[in-house]
Amino acid sequence: MSKLQALLFENVNKREVSDFCEGVGGLVAVTENMVYLVRGGLLERMAIKTYAIKSISSIEIRKPNMLTNGHFQIITSGNADRTKRFSTAFDYAKDENTVMVKANSYEHFVRLEQLIYKFRDKALEPALEEAPTTQSDDVFAKIEKLASLKERNIITVEEFEKKKEELLSQI
C-alpha cells in the first residue's frame, strides 16, 4: 500500500470507496457522495481534498503522450478552471485539483470519470423531480379543477368565471 493510499484509508472508510486510481504524485478515490483527491510527493506535503459529488461541474482528462503525462482535473461549480488554454503539463502538475496520469493508468481514470458522472447524475435526479411548483402552476391546476366542476354542473358558469378571475389575479 502506498503512502497516498494509507492516508486515504486513514480518513475514509475503505468499504465506502467504490473505486480509486493512483497517478503521479496523487490519487483519486470515488464514493457514492464524495470524490477524494489525495496529493503528495517528494517536495509536496500530503493532503486530501474533498469534493461533494453534486458540486462537480466537469472533469478534464487528457491522455498522456510520448513526452508528457496526461492529467485528471476536477472542476467544481463556483470555481473556474485556473489553468490557461495553452497550459503545459507543468501547470497542471501544480494545480491542486489535478492528478497527473501515466499511460498505463489512463483507462482506469476514464472509468473513474464515468463513475463520478454516474453518481453525480443519480444525486441530482431527486432535485429535478422534486422541483417546487410555482404559484402560477398551482393557480392553473385550481382553474382546471374548477372547469371540471363546471362541466359536471356542480358549479355554475358565473361561479366558475368569478373564481377564475380571483385566481388569475394572484399571479
Side-chain angles (χ1 to χ4, degrees):
M1 180 182 295
S2 73
K3 290 181 182 181
L4 295 172
Q5 291 175 17
L7 178 62
L8 172 70
F9 295 127
E10 284 174 16
N11 294 282
V12 179
N13 184 336
K14 191 173 189 173
R15 285 176 273 167
E16 291 178 14
V17 176
S18 299
D19 197 3
F20 72 93
C21 187
E22 193 162 339
V24 179
L27 73 79
V28 176
V30 180
T31 69
E32 195 167 326
N33 298 311
M34 305 296 281
V35 175
Y36 300 91
L37 197 146
V38 184
R39 287 183 47 123
L42 294 173
L43 303 174
E44 188 177 25
R45 182 176 59 89
M46 292 185 38
I48 298 178
K49 191 160 184 185
T50 307
Y51 306 87
I53 285 279
K54 290 181 180 182
S55 72
I56 296 174
S57 57
S58 65
I59 295 169
E60 181 177 324
I61 186 166
R62 183 160 298 157
K63 192 172 187 171
N65 59 40
M66 291 179 64
L67 300 174
T68 62
N69 289 319
H71 65 267
F72 183 95
Q73 181 183 45
I74 297 173
I75 301 168
T76 58
S77 53
N79 290 327
D81 177 5
R82 286 177 276 187
T83 52
K84 301 167 195 76
R85 183 172 180 195
F86 297 106
S87 292
T88 65
F90 184 71
D91 295 324
Y92 283 103
K94 292 188 304 183
D95 183 61
E96 65 183 9
N97 301 310
T98 304
V99 170
M100 301 308 289
V101 176
K102 295 179 186 178
N104 63 352
S105 62
Y106 175 74
E107 293 301 323
H108 196 163
F109 276 100
V110 170
R111 289 193 305 275
L112 282 181
E113 175 189 33
Q114 293 167 348
L115 183 62
I116 291 167
Y117 284 139
K118 176 184 166 190
F119 285 152
R120 185 196 63 183
D121 293 346
K122 182 181 174 185
L124 294 176
E125 275 179 12
L128 296 175
E129 292 172 5
E130 297 170 8
T133 58
T134 62
Q135 184 177 357
S136 62
D137 290 342
D138 191 39
V139 167
F140 293 127
K142 288 179 182 178
I143 291 173
E144 287 175 359
K145 287 179 185 176
L146 284 172
S148 173
L149 292 173
K150 179 185 73 159
E151 288 172 10
R152 295 185 352 223
N153 293 322
I154 295 174
I155 62 172
T156 65
V157 173
E158 294 81 21
E159 290 170 323
F160 168 76
E161 291 298 329
K162 182 180 176 188
K163 191 65 176 171
K164 181 174 91 171
E165 285 180 33
E166 286 176 25
L167 290 169
L168 289 173
S169 68
Q170 295 175 9
I171 299 178

